[in-house]
Amino acid sequence: MTKPILPQEVASAVVDPVAYGQWETLHEQLSWARANAPLAVAENHDHDPFWLVTRHADIMAISRDPQRFANGIRPTVLTNRDGEALARAATPNNDGHLIRSLVQMDAPDHMKYRLLTQSWFMPKNLKIVEERIRQIARETVDQMLAQGGACDFARDVAAHYPLRVIMDILGVPPEDESRMLMLTQQLFGPTDPELNRSREAITSAEQAIAMLNYVIADFENYFGALTAERRANPREDIATVIASATINGEQIPDREMSGYYMIVATAGHDTTSASTAGAIMELAKNPALFERFRDAATDKAGLIEEAIRWTTPVQHFMRSAKEDVAIGGQKIREGDWLMLNYVSANRDEDVFGDPFAFNPDREKNQQIAFGFGAHVCLGQHLARMEMRILMEELLPRVKSLALAGEPARVESVFVGGLKRLPIRFEAA
């Protein structure tokens, strides 16, 4: 069977950070792919060929089959050919993973490591910290209202609220939160010249890898010191759990320990920031919707789930086929690389009626922004709780909300969302 090849404009868009920043054009290309070539190969000069998986059903099928679709064989985030070669040369066993966290692990390691902290993020245990999260939300709203009727919501509110929450749970002191925010933006936004470490466009794989290595080293140095402190002085926080954890009777190796800290510290706030800003943007555009959700009696669950679908902060992950397998009417060969494009899946016309409308009243919102299966996001319940609490605390205290300028998205193929959201508001 001949592999279907995507038109070059589609193949180019899905690897282009600028396209993800522009958003609308990307959606045009992904819509074409869903309708005409929902599972086809993208060929680009700088990248090895990969299957672009655009349909919700196909992504679900791959996600529930980790035995045949692996995370650890090749990069789990799209990496160009030169970048992968440099990463392999710089990593143990040439595995190509600059960070080895839960995201890069397969069985049996994945579940062993996941279980170390999974209970902390389950709804029952999160109730213990709910009041503390509400306190942080109230303080955040107070700070926003003190800005005098206007702010950049993405920068001034959405970036800091979930950061404070996850740092509090992790055990990072408030004075270090700004450092964690900066490093997270540098890690997830290396292709955005407004966010990356060099504050300039990246023009080579060597430059990108060197910059990421500096960021990772900063994280490792910080969490190495935190580990030593927690082993000497244990507390009731996740840092203590990670610092004292054992796998197969031995302490976690330094590389995996650093990866664990990093995935909690970064994914634990950046993605929630994006969804929170996405919700406020849509409320600012729609006064009737804003008035409806201002009412304290209005359930916020539909708003939150739709904002997560609408924003899709984690825009893709890569998988590698471990054997020949048929998916979506195509023959995937052992060793093939696949992009699970969640942006596309969350606009799939076969799953979402009128997918390009922001609709908090969807009867069954099957968004997969958190992934699915064994690798579903560890912090999904915390993210929903954080968003619900902030909406409960913020919306009743604001009687008007409107855009005050043009929003701007992060230019990144991996983690996206709004980097600027200027708004005007009037306190209630």
Side-chain angles (χ1 to χ4, degrees):
M1 180 184 293
T2 303
K3 292 181 179 180
I5 306 299
L6 287 165
Q8 194 56 55
E9 57 268 28
V10 180
S12 297
V14 297
V15 303
D16 182 8
V18 175
Y20 287 83
Q22 294 173 341
W23 204 232
E24 286 80 9
T25 302
L26 174 70
H27 278 297
E28 291 174 6
Q29 302 296 346
L30 291 172
S31 294
W32 184 95
R34 285 193 302 275
N36 299 281
L39 185 56
V41 175
E43 295 182 338
N44 289 285
H45 175 71
D46 294 330
H47 299 80
D48 284 346
F50 60 86
W51 290 90
L52 175 65
V53 190
T54 61
R55 289 190 304 203
H56 190 283
D58 293 337
I59 291 178
M60 292 280 281
I62 292 167
S63 299
R64 63 166 63 98
D65 193 1
Q67 291 76 26
R68 294 192 290 181
F69 294 97
N71 283 46
I73 296 174
R74 294 194 64 184
T76 50
V77 175
L78 182 71
T79 306
N80 66 29
R81 193 178 294 110
D82 290 345
E84 183 175 358
L86 289 167
R88 287 191 181 279
T91 49
N93 304 314
N94 301 111
D95 66 20
H97 300 303
L98 297 177
I99 300 168
R100 189 166 191 259
S101 72
L102 293 175
V103 173
Q104 289 78 28
M105 292 180 183
D106 295 309
D109 284 357
H110 174 257
M111 188 52 67
K112 291 178 181 179
Y113 279 84
R114 187 180 177 98
L115 288 173
L116 296 177
T117 60
Q118 182 169 273
S119 63
W120 274 78
F121 295 101
M122 299 305 289
K124 180 180 179 181
N125 285 337
L126 289 174
K127 290 185 181 299
I128 298 171
V129 297
E130 181 167 0
E131 189 51 43
R132 172 58 182 152
I133 294 173
R134 192 169 295 279
Q135 178 185 347
I136 293 171
R138 287 171 181 157
E139 292 168 358
T140 300
V141 175
D142 289 342
Q143 291 164 3
M144 172 181 155
L145 297 182
Q147 295 194 46
C151 71
D152 183 330
F153 189 88
R155 182 194 64 200
D156 301 331
V157 182
H160 293 280
Y161 163 63
L163 175 72
R164 288 192 62 197
V165 171
I166 197 62
M167 293 302 117
D168 194 76
I169 293 171
L170 181 57
V172 171
E175 60 267 24
D176 292 338
E177 288 174 3
S178 60
R179 180 179 180 183
M180 291 294 107
L181 176 60
M182 177 189 70
L183 290 175
T184 300
Q185 291 175 336
Q186 291 174 356
L187 183 69
F188 286 159
T191 52
D192 191 315
E194 294 185 24
L195 300 177
N196 69 27
R197 195 177 186 92
S198 68
R199 292 298 192 265
E200 60 185 27
I202 301 302
T203 58
S204 71
E206 290 84 357
Q207 189 182 8
I209 294 296
M211 186 172 60
L212 285 174
N213 277 330
Y214 280 123
V215 174
I216 292 166
D218 276 359
F219 272 122
E220 289 175 342
N221 290 336
Y222 181 87
F223 287 120
L226 185 62
T227 295
E229 198 282 330
R230 287 300 190 273
R231 286 175 177 170
N233 303 289
R235 301 185 190 178
E236 289 294 322
D237 57 27
I238 291 180
T240 300
V241 173
I242 297 172
S244 59
T246 59
I247 297 288
N248 300 327
E250 297 181 358
Q251 283 188 332
I252 303 174
D254 289 345
R255 185 185 184 208
E256 284 73 10
M257 181 172 293
S258 295
Y260 216 130
Y261 281 119
M262 278 188 266
I263 195 67
V264 173
T266 58
H269 69 88
D270 202 54
T271 53
T272 307
S273 297
S275 295
T276 302
I280 293 299
M281 179 176 71
E282 294 307 314
L283 294 179
K285 289 179 177 179
N286 189 329
L289 203 62
F290 169 69
E291 282 299 325
R292 173 184 160 192
F293 283 101
R294 273 195 73 220
D295 187 343
T298 302
D299 185 7
K300 308 298 190 290
L303 171 65
I304 290 162
E305 212 65 18
E306 182 70 346
I308 294 167
R309 180 192 77 89
W310 193 245
T311 309
T312 313
V314 175
Q315 297 170 152
H316 83 274
F317 273 123
M318 307 298 291
R319 295 288 189 270
S320 300
K322 296 175 69 175
E323 60 185 71
D324 292 357
V325 57
I327 290 286
Q330 301 296 335
K331 184 73 169 182
I332 309 299
R333 297 292 183 183
E334 180 182 356
D336 282 358
W337 208 23
L338 304 94
M339 173 189 273
L340 310 188
N341 196 291
Y342 303 117
V343 174
S344 178
N346 277 339
R347 296 293 194 281
D348 190 335
E349 297 82 356
D350 290 340
V351 177
F352 304 99
D354 198 4
F356 290 95
F358 185 85
N359 179 12
D361 297 318
R362 295 185 185 279
E363 187 173 338
K364 187 178 182 182
N365 194 327
Q366 300 181 64
Q367 61 83 13
I368 53 171
F370 291 121
F372 186 76
H375 281 274
V376 68
C377 175
L378 186 66
Q380 61 172 320
H381 303 300
L382 175 61
R384 290 185 176 101
M385 174 184 279
E386 289 176 83
M387 291 180 68
R388 170 180 60 80
I389 290 173
L390 183 65
M391 296 303 160
E392 289 172 351
E393 295 298 326
L394 170 61
L395 297 181
R397 295 181 62 185
V398 178
K399 63 181 180 181
S400 69
L401 182 66
L403 294 180
E406 192 66 27
R409 292 183 56 84
V410 176
E411 294 181 358
S412 170
V413 176
F414 179 33
V415 176
L418 294 166
K419 59 183 176 183
R420 286 193 296 277
L421 180 60
I423 61 168
R424 295 190 306 272
F425 56 86
E426 184 178 0

